[in-house]
Amino acid sequence: MTNSTPSSPGQTFVRFDLLQRIQHIIFLISFSVLGMTGLPQKYPLAWASTAIFNLVGGIENARAIHHTSAIVMMIVSLVHVLEALYRIMVQRTPISMIPWIDDILHVYQDVLYYLGFRKHKAYYGRYSYAEKAEYLALIWGTIVMGATGFMMWNPISTVRFLPGEAIPAAKAAHGGEAVLAVLAIIIWHFYHVHIKHFNKSMFTGRLTREEMQHEHPAELAALEAARPTAPIQPAELRRRQMLYLPIAFILLALFSYGFYFFIGYETTAVTTPLLGETAPVYVPATLTPSPVPSPTATPNASASLTWNDTIGPLLQTKCGMCHGAASPTGLSYDSYANFMQGGKNGPVVVAGNSASSKIVVLQTAGGHPGMLSPDELARLSEWIQAGAPEK
Amino acid sequence: MTTPSSQRRTIWWIAAGMLALLLGISLTTRASAGQPAQETEKYCLSCHGNPDLHMTLPSGETLSLYVSQDVIKDSVHSPLGIECEACHTNLSTYPHPAVEYQNKRELSRALYQACQKCHSENYKKAQDSMHAQAATAGNAEAPVCTDCHGAHDVKIPDQPRSLISETCSQCHTDIVNTYKQSVHGEALLANNPDVPVCTDCHGVHNIQDPRTAQFRVQSPELCAGCHANKELMAKYGLNADVYDIYKRSWHGVDISVYKARWPTIQHSSAVCTDCHGIHDIRKADDPNSHVNPTNLLATCQKCHPAAGPNWTDAWTGHNQISLERTPFLYYVNTFYTSLTPLVLWACILYVALQIIRAIVDRVRNSLP
C-alpha cells in the first residue's frame, strides 16, 4: 500500500486484495439469492414470487435455498471479522471504514457542489462517506438479519428464553430490513458503483491513477507524499500473531458452534401429525324400523267354521283392501254371495273340493300380493272341504 | 359383502334398472309430461293402502308394500299431481311385472334412478359425489337420492333448516352429535339462520371427500365465506380480518401458495380447522374450545411438540399489530415502517441531485 516512487499516469493502485474480492463475490451471490428466495416468502402471491417458487420447485425449496445462502453469508461474515481483526491487531492498518467528522464535512461540501455552489467535490480519503455508509449498513443488516433469521429458524428454542412476541417481531424486522437492504443496494450501491462510473476495482483489485484522482484524491495525495514505512520486524510480527491466534481461534470456535446450532439444533419444530377429522365417519343411526305386517290373529278355533263366523271376517280383513267393493277384478269378498260368485275370471271356490278351488291353489302357490298364513289357509281349505257353509 | 361377483351383480342390476327406466320413460313421456295429474294414487292405494300388504324377497327380507295415504299427502309430489306412476313407471297395471330384486337395497338402488326424470341436474351432480364413488367402489349402502330425501315422504329438505343436519345424522351420527354441541350447531338448534349446516361446507349433491389435500387447502376460504363478511361478523362482535391476516401468517402463506400452485399436494401447514376444530368449533372463550387460552398450548403442541409456555404468544395471526396487545412487535414494525421510507427517500433525493448535476455539467461542457 506504500508507494514511494513518483507516480505515472498509467500506474495502478492496489485497492482490494484477492481475499477481499472473493469475500465480495460470495457475499453478493448469497445476498442476491437470499433476496430472491426471501422476498417471495414475504409477498407469496405476487406473480414474480410464483415464478420463483415454480423455478425452484416450491416454497419449501425456496426456504431451503434461503437457509443455505444464509449459512454461506454467515461464513463470509466470519472470514471478514477474522480478516479485519488481523489487519487491526497484526498489521496495524488504519481503521479507514469508520465514519468520522471529515465525512460530515464531505457530505456538506458535496451537497454544495451538487447544488452548484462549489467548484469541485470533496476530496475523499481511502473510503468515501458513501462507501462507509454502505459498509455500516451492511454490518448492521447482517447482524439484524442473522439474529432475526436465527429466531425464525429456531423459534421454539428462542421462546425458551424470550417472550413469544419475539418471533413475530423478528419476522417484522427480518422482512423490513430485507426490503430496506435490497432497495438501498439498488438505489445507492448501483448508482455509485455502476451507473455514475463503473468501478471495477472490486473485481480487478486495482484503480488507475486517473480513477484515484477522481474518486480518492486525498488518499492518492497521502500515498504519494508518504515516506516508505519500514516492514514489521519478524519478532514483532510473531508476537502480534501469537496474540491474534487465540482470539481468532475462540471466535472461530464460537461461530462454528453457532452454525452447528443454527442448522441442527431444532429439527423437531414441526411434526406432521394426522390432521383432519378423526371421528368415525360412518355411524348409522338406529333407524326407525320399516313397517312390518301386523300379526293376524290365529282364527278362533272354537268359533264355528262358517262364512259368517270365521271365514268372512278373515277374508275381509286380510284381502278386503283389494277384494272389496272396488275390486279391480270384480272379485269381492264383501258378501258371501259375491265371494261364491267370483270375479270376471270366474269363481274362486268349488264347494266341497278345496284342491280345485282357485283361491286355495293361488294361496298355496304363493306370490300373491296378500297372503294368508299357513294356519289361515288350512282353515279356509277345511271350510271349503266342508261345503263352504254360510252359517 | 363386496366380492367381485356381488359387485358385478350390482352393476348388472343397475344397468338393467337403467334400461327398464329408459324404456319406461320413452313409453310414458308423452302421457306424463303433458299431464302431471295421473290420478293413479287412488287406484294404487286401493291395494297398497293395506298395512299388511307385503312380499318376501329372495334374500328373505320382508318388503312392506304399504304406502300410507297420510304420508303421500304430506309429501311434495302428491299435492302437485305427481303420483305413483311418475316414479314407478313400470307399474301402471295390475298384475305387476315380477319383482326381480334380490333384496331391499337392490330395489332402492334401482328405483331411485327415477329421480333423474325430473331432477336431472342434481342427479348428475350426485353422480359426481363421494357417495356415488363409494357405491362404484362396491358399497351398496352408499346413499342414493331416496336415502336422504325419502321416497314416498319427500319433503322440502331444509324446512326447518336443522332438518339437513338430521338427515346427515342418519349415517353420520357421531359427527352430527359433535356438531350439535359446537357454536354453529347450538345456534342452529336455536333457529339461527346465519350458521352453517352440513351442506354449507360440504356441498349438497356433489359432496366431495373432505379428507383430500385439495379440500384441506381450500378450507380456509370456506370459513372466510362467512368469517370475512364484515356485516355478518359485526352482528356477532367477531373480527372480520381473521382470514386476511391469516393469509399473511406463517401458516397461511404456505397454504395460499399451495392453493394457488399445488392444490392437490398434501401440506401440513395449519388451516382453520387444525386449531379451531372441525365439527367441534366453539367460541374461543368456551373452556372446551381448542383455542381457549387454557387449551391453546396443547393445540399448538399437536404440530409443535416441543413448544414451551411462551410459545402461544408467538401467534399473532388473527390480530392487527397493536400497541396494547403486542407492544414490542408494534415498536419493531413502526421502526421499519418509518426508517425504510426515510432512508430510501434520502438515498433517492441524493442520487437525483447527483444525476441532475451530472446532466447540467454535460450540457454545459457540450456548449461551445
Side-chain angles (χ1 to χ4, degrees):
Chain A
M1 237 158 287
T2 53
N3 200 316
S4 55
T5 54
S7 310
S8 59
Q11 188 188 8
T12 56
F13 294 82
V14 173
R15 186 141 184 86
F16 301 110
D17 63 24
L18 184 64
L19 182 62
Q20 286 172 317
R21 276 137 58 194
I22 291 173
Q23 281 177 46
H24 176 259
I25 287 185
I26 297 178
F27 198 94
L28 97 80
I29 292 171
S30 64
F31 181 93
S32 309
V33 172
L34 281 164
M36 282 189 287
T37 53
L39 290 175
Q41 294 180 58
K42 184 169 165 67
Y43 306 102
L45 294 180
W47 68 265
S49 308
T50 309
I52 285 171
F53 292 147
N54 287 347
L55 187 71
V56 300
I59 191 168
E60 285 94 348
N61 289 354
R63 220 167 260 146
I65 295 170
H66 194 77
H67 287 176
T68 310
S69 304
I71 294 293
V72 171
M73 185 182 269
M74 287 290 146
I75 291 171
V76 177
S77 305
L78 169 63
V79 169
H80 182 71
V81 167
L82 294 178
E83 187 221 0
L85 203 63
Y86 189 80
R87 283 177 192 280
I88 294 164
M89 284 183 68
V90 182
Q91 295 181 329
R92 302 271 166 95
T93 312
I95 303 171
S96 48
M97 261 301 188
I98 303 302
W100 204 237
I101 295 164
D102 281 358
D103 295 300
I104 298 168
L105 186 66
H106 288 171
V107 173
Y108 172 71
Q109 290 171 343
D110 273 3
V111 170
L112 288 182
Y113 166 74
Y114 294 137
L115 292 173
F117 298 121
R118 260 176 77 95
K119 287 263 179 289
H120 59 82
K121 284 202 285 186
Y123 295 130
Y124 305 142
R126 177 153 177 77
Y127 294 109
S128 72
Y129 59 85
E131 290 162 332
K132 289 181 182 180
E134 211 176 310
Y135 180 71
L136 282 191
L138 180 142
I139 291 180
W140 155 260
T142 307
I143 292 171
V144 168
M145 296 307 261
T148 54
F150 174 84
M151 288 159 79
M152 292 192 291
W153 198 337
N154 301 280
I156 287 172
S157 315
T158 301
V159 300
R160 291 228 176 85
F161 310 104
L162 292 176
E165 210 187 317
I167 304 302
K171 189 185 177 191
H174 202 84
E177 184 66 34
V179 172
L180 179 58
V182 168
L183 291 180
I185 285 287
I186 290 174
I187 298 167
W188 191 255
H189 183 82
F190 281 19
Y191 177 74
H192 283 112
V193 185
H194 300 274
I195 294 172
K196 190 171 80 174
H197 162 72
F198 195 1
N199 187 335
K200 302 183 195 69
S201 62
M202 193 41 106
F203 301 100
T204 62
R206 290 174 171 274
L207 280 181
T208 61
R209 190 167 188 288
E210 196 192 342
E211 284 172 323
M212 286 293 281
Q213 271 177 334
H214 276 106
E215 305 275 333
H216 303 282
E219 186 193 10
L220 180 66
L223 285 177
E224 289 178 346
R227 280 170 302 162
T229 46
I232 308 161
Q233 295 300 311
E236 174 64 8
L237 187 67
R238 266 195 80 74
R239 196 188 64 80
R240 289 181 194 173
Q241 282 174 339
M242 292 313 287
L243 203 66
Y244 166 78
L245 277 175
I247 294 175
F249 183 78
I250 290 168
L251 273 176
L252 188 65
L254 284 177
F255 267 84
S256 305
Y257 181 70
F259 293 146
Y260 170 77
F261 200 70
F262 223 127
I263 301 163
Y265 188 70
E266 205 169 277
T267 51
T268 57
V270 179
T271 58
T272 307
L274 180 66
L275 295 167
E277 183 58 87
T278 50
V281 176
Y282 178 58
V283 184
T286 319
L287 294 167
T288 316
S290 353
V292 290
S294 50
T296 28
T298 312
N300 189 347
S302 64
S304 63
L305 199 59
T306 60
W307 173 267
N308 286 353
D309 281 359
T310 317
I311 301 302
L314 168 68
L315 293 182
Q316 279 153 15
T317 312
K318 295 274 299 195
C319 316
M321 189 60 69
C322 296
H323 298 291
S327 166
T329 57
L331 177 63
S332 169
Y333 300 168
D334 56 355
S335 72
Y336 180 70
N338 285 343
F339 174 65
M340 293 308 283
Q341 186 198 332
K344 60 184 180 193
N345 298 327
V348 294
V349 176
V350 181
N353 187 350
S354 66
S356 303
S357 301
K358 198 175 175 186
I359 187 169
V360 178
V361 173
L362 272 177
Q363 285 290 318
T364 310
H368 191 75
M371 290 291 289
L372 297 171
S373 70
D375 211 19
E376 292 161 346
L377 184 57
R379 298 279 291 184
L380 178 69
S381 302
E382 195 185 332
W383 173 71
I384 294 171
Q385 207 61 37
E390 186 179 6
K391 305 174 201 178
Chain B
M1 191 73 191
T2 58
T3 60
S5 75
S6 81
Q7 274 184 31
R8 256 202 307 280
R9 209 163 51 225
T10 312
I11 291 165
W12 197 89
W13 279 119
I14 291 172
M18 295 271 241
L19 201 66
L21 193 80
L22 280 173
L23 202 65
I25 291 169
S26 63
L27 290 175
T28 57
T29 308
R30 187 171 300 192
S32 55
Q35 19 177 243
Q38 300 153 327
E39 298 181 347
T40 51
E41 203 172 285
K42 205 171 144 201
Y43 174 73
C44 297
L45 286 186
S46 67
C47 289
H48 290 276
N50 175 7
D52 290 339
L53 199 61
H54 67 276
M55 67 183 288
T56 305
L57 293 170
S59 65
E61 286 170 297
T62 303
L63 175 69
S64 171
L65 301 171
Y66 167 62
V67 178
S68 159
Q69 172 70 54
D70 296 336
V71 166
I72 286 269
K73 208 170 61 201
D74 288 345
S75 81
V76 291
H77 288 137
S78 175
L80 295 172
I82 301 160
E83 299 190 356
C84 313
E85 206 191 331
C87 302
H88 298 280
T89 47
N90 59 339
L91 299 178
S92 50
T93 53
Y94 184 87
H96 303 317
V99 171
E100 293 173 329
Y101 308 112
Q102 296 295 309
N103 55 49
K104 281 182 170 180
R105 194 60 197 159
E106 214 173 271
L107 178 135
S108 301
R109 296 203 65 87
L111 289 186
Y112 90 95
Q113 293 166 26
C115 302
Q116 64 180 309
K117 264 178 77 182
C118 301
H119 304 283
S120 61
E121 278 305 308
N122 285 340
Y123 184 88
K124 267 187 247 161
K125 275 187 175 177
Q127 299 304 308
D128 291 334
S129 71
M130 75 167 303
H131 287 144
Q133 285 163 18
T136 311
N139 183 352
E141 296 302 316
V144 295
C145 308
T146 49
D147 290 315
C148 301
H149 291 280
H152 299 121
D153 55 342
V154 177
K155 291 204 177 72
I156 296 172
D158 62 347
Q159 303 286 340
R161 207 152 162 262
S162 58
L163 186 61
I164 295 174
S165 304
E166 288 304 322
T167 299
C168 300
S169 81
Q170 287 174 32
C171 290
H172 304 290
T173 315
D174 269 20
I175 285 172
V176 175
N177 282 342
T178 307
Y179 163 80
K180 280 181 185 167
Q181 290 161 23
S182 75
V183 62
H184 297 137
E186 272 181 357
L188 176 75
L189 296 179
N191 294 322
N192 182 323
D194 293 335
V195 291
V197 296
C198 310
T199 50
D200 289 310
C201 300
H202 291 283
V204 186
H205 293 103
N206 55 348
I207 297 164
Q208 295 303 307
D209 190 339
R211 296 163 297 190
T212 60
Q214 188 147 10
F215 190 93
R216 179 180 162 74
V217 88
Q218 288 172 347
S219 65
E221 220 168 40
L222 205 59
C223 303
C226 292
H227 283 272
N229 179 334
K230 286 202 161 42
E231 224 169 274
L232 188 61
M233 290 301 107
K235 197 168 155 187
Y236 299 97
L238 292 173
N239 178 359
D241 295 332
V242 288
Y243 179 57
D244 269 353
I245 301 174
Y246 163 79
K247 278 197 293 187
R248 285 180 268 131
S249 75
W250 291 111
H251 299 140
V253 162
D254 281 37
I255 292 297
S256 306
V257 168
Y258 269 74
K259 179 162 105 17
R261 183 66 179 82
W262 295 280
T264 55
I265 295 177
Q266 179 70 31
H267 194 268
S268 55
S269 207
V271 296
C272 311
T273 52
D274 292 324
C275 304
H276 291 275
I278 302 176
H279 299 107
D280 56 345
I281 300 168
R282 293 162 189 266
K283 285 182 188 172
D285 55 13
D286 184 322
N288 289 322
S289 163
H290 298 299
V291 293
N292 184 277
T294 53
N295 305 328
L296 193 55
L297 183 59
T299 301
C300 296
Q301 284 171 339
K302 284 199 296 182
C303 294
H304 307 287
N310 285 356
W311 180 251
T312 53
D313 289 338
W315 168 252
T316 52
H318 282 330
N319 300 293
Q320 300 284 13
I321 295 170
S322 75
L323 183 57
E324 294 75 32
R325 188 185 277 268
T326 48
F328 184 55
L329 173 59
Y330 175 82
Y331 288 125
V332 169
N333 191 58
T334 310
F335 176 74
Y336 275 102
T337 48
S338 331
L339 181 75
T340 303
L342 197 73
V343 169
L344 293 179
W345 276 115
C347 290
I348 289 169
L349 286 176
Y350 201 67
V351 167
L353 203 59
Q354 296 183 49
I355 292 172
I356 291 167
R357 175 72 209 204
I359 293 170
V360 168
D361 280 352
R362 189 167 293 186
V363 171
R364 232 181 237 161
N365 290 341
S366 69
L367 292 176

